[in-house]
Amino acid sequence: MWVGNWGQGLNLVNRDTREVEHFSSRHSGNHYIPNDFVHVIFKDADNQIWLGTRNGILIYDKPKNRFVGWREYFNNTLLPDFRNVRIYMIIQDRNLNYWIGIQ
């Protein structure tokens, strides 16, 4: 279960073992996320976890157990750069298009 902590990053809670993995700007390596204010946690049709923060969009790279920016994840620099933009909503419609609400 993913739990956003306002100003304190993000936790991944294993319900079976009750172990908690913490992701934060105060960590380095795989547990680093660039912003601790998580506005939205979204799971898409492919079960991919997306975060909307005060500093853009991050996507969970499950094989590497880390979050990366969406341009890096999709290896596409033509995607909009949402750095320094607050992301408040991420949804996916029935045609698998993504809709992103910003401030």
Side-chain angles (χ1 to χ4, degrees):
M1 174 174 58
W2 294 97
V3 180
N5 300 300
W6 187 250
Q8 301 296 316
L10 178 76
N11 289 334
L12 174 56
V13 180
N14 183 318
R15 292 184 198 182
D16 296 328
T17 65
R18 298 186 180 176
E19 291 179 7
V20 177
E21 279 189 75
H22 183 67
F23 297 82
S24 171
S25 65
R26 293 181 276 285
H27 293 302
S28 61
N30 288 358
H31 288 94
Y32 171 80
I33 57 174
N35 191 279
D36 289 329
F37 290 88
V38 177
H39 294 282
V40 61
I41 303 168
F42 171 71
K43 187 191 315 186
D44 69 15
D46 294 324
N47 291 318
Q48 191 61 51
I49 299 297
W50 296 56
L51 297 183
T53 73
R54 281 190 178 178
N55 192 26
I57 298 173
L58 300 170
I59 300 177
Y60 186 60
D61 184 345
K62 191 170 185 175
K64 295 182 180 177
N65 189 37
R66 67 185 184 114
F67 282 92
V68 297
W70 80 320
R71 293 170 89 186
E72 179 182 344
Y73 184 83
F74 290 111
N75 193 27
N76 185 344
T77 58
L78 299 177
L79 292 171
D81 182 3
F82 287 116
R83 283 181 291 178
N84 300 313
V85 175
R86 293 181 185 197
I87 307 297
Y88 286 110
M89 180 193 71
I90 304 170
I91 60 172
Q92 188 176 31
D93 66 24
R94 68 181 71 177
N95 295 318
L96 304 180
N97 295 306
Y98 292 97
W99 297 85
I100 298 167
I102 65 171
Q103 180 184 29

